Amino acid sequence: MRNAPTILHLDMDAFFAQAEQASKPSLRGKAVVVGGLGPRGVVATASYEARVFGVHSAMPMAQARRRAPNAAYLVPRFAFYRSISEQVMGLLRELSPLVEPLSLDEAFVDLDAGGAAWDSDSARLAGIRLRADIRAVTGLTGSVGLASCKMLAKIASEQAKPDGLVLIEPGTERALLGPLPVRTLPGVGPATGDHLRRAGIATIDEIAEAGEDELVRLLGKAHGHALYAMALARDDRPVVAEREAKSVSVEDTYDVDIHDRVRVELEVQRLADRCVRRLRETGLSGRTMVLKVRRYDFSTLTRSETLRGPTDDPAVVREAAARLLESVDTTGGVRLLGVGVSGLADFTQEDLFAQAAEERTDGPEEEPAEEPVGEVPVPVEHQWRPGHDVRHAELGHGWVQGSGLGRVTVRFETPESEPGRVRTFRTDDPGLEPAQPLPLVRRRLEGDGGGDGSASVPPVPGLVSDAGPRPESESSARELSAERISYTE
């Protein structure tokens, strides 16, 4: 434990929903729900206006629609959120070299390591500046918690929500934690909370009073010791800038159970390719291939196979996934499929022999196959997803409000415009095409640099001012897609 609150925890407020509201002037101040929109979709994020109706993350989307029927329901734009997250993480790294991202919208920062803070006053000032910088660069708000350890900093940021800052002074930790419910502590979920409640333990003070031996008896050695230490505000975990990835996986849930075995096989191959792309984005390879299948009756089967060496070859991963699928009975129907890779490394077995293989290749190169002449190209069929960006040849930039029955409804507005007008088109209208998101903030505040008092914000990958086409390739049958990278603590 430190004697100064120099651990900062940042949590962006309702990140996905807030980004959508900032991007779409007509949704500001209104209930917005982001997630999978099909009957099996779940809520990824709900705006604070939607939370008033009891909508929250991980809730089934059907239940959310019953509670907030007039909310705007949008499909996530992960590339857009990731680009904003990169801006925010860049601001955090200006404060300290020790930044530990937990997700796209959440991170710990060791202010002391960067010399950004050394006592309560300097820590509070750093937090105030950070929130102002995030607002200036992204147009969004974040909540900041400051404390002497990671656990307390995260609790402080929760108390600061939305758009606030809470600093826990060293020496006041026990008094602050005491009356809080046991679910406040990390690692105490619904099951553990109910178990403690049945034992007469409802607050953190009561955890401390119960004693370490009683907690070990109730919860087991590891969990009992850890929970008792947290109740006494003991947390010596350092902020770790780089964490070793344990696995990379992708999965999809389907609106309608898949019964056709050929379709299941094709979906597994597609997931294997996506998993490889995620591997290569992180510069990793893996030895153990994992297949996950959730069947019609909610039973979940997992199959795995370990190769002789790590790989990021899509053909190898596809073949391994296909072999694993052979041992799974899917005749009753499949509602979820996933492909993952674990046993990660930062090299591939093939790399060791690639150069020698190239040197042994002395035959003539294959001539590329000639493209058939006279074939008429098949037009691309766009999928118009609610919330996604489009551009019309005459009306400019807008976003999809909804589609169906051969029609797509678009609201034409930009982050800097007034709420825009709505128009409906045929889904195959030649003047309408998918587009990339526009920047949320084009210029910094007046006087923040530049001779004319308006310095441009640095360009961000994935955000453009002149949006171009961005074709969609995912199946409309798939709902909110999960792409996961797991890390060691």
Side-chain angles (χ1 to χ4, degrees):
M1 294 286 290
R2 305 183 178 197
N3 55 11
T6 55
I7 300 293
L8 180 147
H9 181 260
L10 171 72
D11 198 347
M12 300 295 289
D13 302 321
F15 181 46
F16 295 174
Q18 186 187 180
E20 296 296 349
Q21 288 175 319
S23 177
K24 303 171 173 63
S26 58
L27 298 184
R28 292 171 191 169
K30 298 182 180 178
V32 174
V33 180
V34 179
L37 301 189
R40 291 179 178 171
V42 296
V43 176
T45 309
S47 70
Y48 285 95
E49 295 85 356
R51 296 181 191 188
V52 172
F53 299 98
V55 180
H56 56 77
S57 60
M59 173 182 283
M61 190 60 75
Q63 184 180 353
R65 288 185 184 276
R66 289 194 295 271
R67 294 191 177 189
N70 296 321
Y73 289 87
L74 308 177
V75 174
R77 298 184 291 165
F78 288 114
F80 177 52
Y81 309 144
R82 193 173 295 114
S83 65
I84 300 171
S85 174
E86 288 171 0
Q87 288 180 301
V88 173
M89 296 302 165
L91 293 173
L92 297 182
R93 293 186 179 96
E94 291 177 7
L95 290 174
S96 172
L98 291 183
V99 175
E100 182 178 340
L102 304 178
S103 61
L104 290 178
D105 62 336
E106 187 179 359
F108 287 111
V109 184
D110 187 335
L111 298 176
D112 184 56
W118 51 91
D119 59 13
S120 297
D121 291 339
S122 58
R124 186 183 298 276
L125 185 59
I128 292 171
R129 281 200 306 262
L130 173 63
R131 291 176 56 232
D133 287 345
I134 290 172
R135 168 81 78 165
V137 171
T138 69
L140 306 183
T141 65
S143 297
V144 167
L146 293 156
S148 56
C149 66
K150 291 168 72 172
M151 177 192 74
L152 291 168
K154 184 171 175 60
I155 291 173
S157 71
E158 282 296 320
Q159 294 185 342
K161 283 183 167 293
D163 190 20
L165 182 150
V166 169
L167 183 147
I168 300 176
E169 291 282 359
T172 67
E173 296 93 347
R174 290 288 303 277
L176 174 97
L177 286 176
L180 298 178
V182 294
R183 290 287 305 277
T184 304
L185 296 177
V188 180
T192 302
D194 288 344
H195 193 49
L196 292 171
R197 180 180 51 78
R198 288 194 296 269
I201 300 173
T203 67
I204 296 175
D205 257 347
E206 290 170 344
I207 290 178
E209 291 169 4
E212 192 168 12
D213 292 341
E214 176 65 7
L215 290 171
V216 168
R217 186 186 70 79
L218 288 170
L219 304 174
K221 189 173 181 180
H223 201 180
H225 286 313
L227 198 59
Y228 183 71
M230 287 189 291
L232 299 180
R234 297 173 185 165
D235 180 13
D236 295 324
R237 293 175 300 159
V239 176
V240 181
E242 297 293 337
R243 293 183 295 165
E244 181 184 354
K246 294 197 302 182
S247 65
V248 173
S249 64
V250 298
E251 62 184 43
D252 276 342
T253 302
Y254 304 93
D255 286 347
V256 180
D257 291 346
I258 302 175
H259 294 82
D260 182 1
R261 181 70 178 192
V262 174
R263 168 81 188 284
V264 172
E265 292 170 353
L266 290 173
E267 288 295 310
V268 167
Q269 298 298 294
R270 182 188 58 79
L271 288 167
D273 288 340
R274 275 176 51 200
C275 187
V276 168
R277 287 199 298 271
R278 296 286 292 170
L279 269 178
R280 291 183 170 181
E281 286 173 5
T282 55
L284 296 170
S285 59
R287 292 186 61 201
T288 302
M289 309 297 136
V290 181
L291 175 70
K292 177 180 176 182
V293 180
R294 182 166 295 150
R295 300 190 290 190
Y296 69 98
D297 58 356
F298 287 88
S299 61
T300 302
L301 304 177
T302 303
R303 300 287 184 267
S304 64
E305 173 184 324
T306 300
L307 308 178
R308 288 181 297 176
T311 184
D312 65 353
D313 187 332
V316 174
V317 177
R318 282 197 299 267
E319 290 171 6
R323 286 195 299 270
L324 294 172
L325 182 62
E326 291 173 0
S327 64
V328 179
D329 180 10
T330 62
T331 52
V334 171
R335 60 183 291 121
L336 178 147
L337 289 168
V339 173
V341 178
S342 60
L344 302 182
D346 57 1
F347 68 94
T348 63
Q349 191 70 32
E350 291 85 356
D351 289 341
L352 302 177
F353 308 102
Q355 185 174 355
E358 287 178 5
E359 290 174 355
R360 289 196 300 270
T361 304
D362 52 7
E365 291 187 0
E366 267 188 37
E367 291 292 329
E370 291 186 7
E371 295 197 8
V373 179
E375 290 190 2
V376 179
V378 179
V380 177
E381 183 180 346
H382 298 304
Q383 296 170 15
W384 308 111
R385 298 182 173 189
H388 281 217
D389 297 85
V390 295
R391 187 172 185 84
H392 190 270
E394 296 178 5
L395 301 174
H397 192 91
W399 58 277
V400 176
Q401 281 199 324
S403 64
L405 301 177
R407 295 288 186 269
V408 54
T409 301
V410 177
R411 184 180 288 272
F412 290 96
E413 59 187 5
T414 69
E416 296 177 333
S417 73
E418 296 296 320
R421 56 181 173 172
V422 176
R423 293 282 302 273
T424 299
F425 307 89
R426 298 193 318 273
T427 54
D428 60 352
D429 190 303
L432 193 66
E433 61 183 6
Q436 293 184 355
L438 298 179
L440 296 182
V441 176
R442 285 173 167 280
R443 297 182 181 276
R444 294 188 186 273
L445 298 176
E446 195 172 312
D448 193 30
D452 60 355
S454 56
S456 297
V457 174
V460 182
L463 300 182
V464 295
S465 297
D466 186 15
R470 192 182 201 183
E472 296 287 352
S473 59
E474 301 292 342
S475 167
S476 59
R478 289 187 293 276
E479 274 312 319
L480 177 59
S481 163
E483 296 189 352
R484 299 193 179 99
I485 300 182
S486 302
Y487 294 91
T488 55
E489 286 295 336

